[in-house]
Amino acid sequence: MRRLSLALALLLAGCDVPIPSGVPALIASHGTATRSRVYHVASWYGPSLAGSRALSPAIAAAAAHDGLSRGLVEAVVAQESGFNPLAVSPVGAEGLMQLMPETVTMINAAGGAEVLDPFDAEQNLAGGCWYLKWLHGALPRSQVAPGEDWKLTLAAYNGGLTRVKKAIAMALAGAPRNPRASWRDVSDNMPSETQRYVPSVMALWSKYGQ
């Protein structure tokens, strides 16, 4: 039998409702959760039973490893998955930081982190933090206004780096020499979801602190 994944262990540890009779048998017979079982288990428990308190040490460790603000990573996790390590989005994003399968492939290929199981909390956090840092470094920083770099990084995390670069170029087209773009300058050229996402995560970051 394979070892129970950290993601499922966290979910069960945070549970404050009776465990349905089928769960122990499910765990005993299958071990680590797969995508099909994730939908099943998540449907019983809802989106946030693992909770931020149980995940705080893992979030802090992953953030420190990549030199990120703990509060920023906690804000992204809260926004993306509601602290549910087994969350799956309608478009297939998985785990705490809602990594898409192609993003996981890119992270593994780059050697940034090893994400073999996106539903494992520690692996997902390691991959998500590395990717967040990578996006921050990939911004055209000479074109970004001071203090706006993390807003645009979050826009790239949600809406894609290529889209953010195009939005910056559009915002600065015809601008004076040595211009720099802010989030406000590019937001109109981003998807409506990203327009909501960036201020929401920034507000959560303020709540969770540095």
Side-chain angles (χ1 to χ4, degrees):
M1 184 190 305
R2 290 179 295 175
R3 181 174 57 87
L4 183 64
S5 72
L6 176 58
L8 188 53
L10 280 168
L11 182 65
L12 296 180
C15 180
D16 57 2
V17 297
I19 299 176
S21 59
V23 173
L26 179 71
I27 296 169
S29 61
H30 295 294
T32 303
T34 65
R35 186 179 302 182
S36 62
R37 289 174 220 131
V38 164
Y39 282 104
H40 198 181
V41 174
S43 70
W44 280 330
Y45 293 116
S48 60
L49 290 173
S52 60
R53 183 174 301 175
L55 289 165
S56 286
I59 290 173
H65 181 271
D66 285 299
L68 300 177
S69 160
R70 175 204 53 79
L72 169 63
V73 177
E74 197 161 3
V76 171
V77 172
Q79 180 71 31
E80 292 285 350
S81 66
F83 300 101
N84 179 3
L86 303 182
V88 180
S89 80
V91 296
E94 300 170 331
L96 287 173
M97 297 186 74
Q98 290 290 275
L99 302 177
M100 292 293 290
E102 56 267 30
T103 303
V104 170
T105 298
M106 175 264 200
I107 292 167
N108 288 331
E114 188 175 60
V115 186
L116 302 180
D117 177 8
F119 300 112
D120 180 281
E122 291 179 347
Q123 292 183 34
N124 192 285
L125 287 167
C129 285
W130 180 88
Y131 184 56
L132 197 60
K133 183 179 180 179
W134 180 85
L135 288 171
H136 186 257
L139 287 177
R141 298 293 291 277
S142 63
Q143 297 177 322
V144 176
E148 296 291 303
D149 50 326
W150 281 110
K151 293 177 184 177
L152 295 180
T153 299
L154 291 170
Y157 192 91
N158 179 261
L161 179 61
T162 298
R163 189 176 277 139
V164 168
K165 287 183 175 180
K166 287 182 178 179
I168 290 173
M170 292 174 66
L172 298 182
R177 189 175 180 179
N178 299 324
R180 291 176 177 243
S182 67
W183 163 242
R184 178 177 294 183
D185 295 327
V186 307
S187 61
D188 286 346
N189 292 318
M190 296 299 295
S192 58
E193 178 187 338
T194 306
Q195 293 176 19
R196 296 188 296 269
Y197 179 88
V198 171
S200 179
V201 175
M202 292 300 294
L204 287 168
W205 187 1
S206 178
K207 171 186 174 182
Y208 291 124
Q210 295 299 313

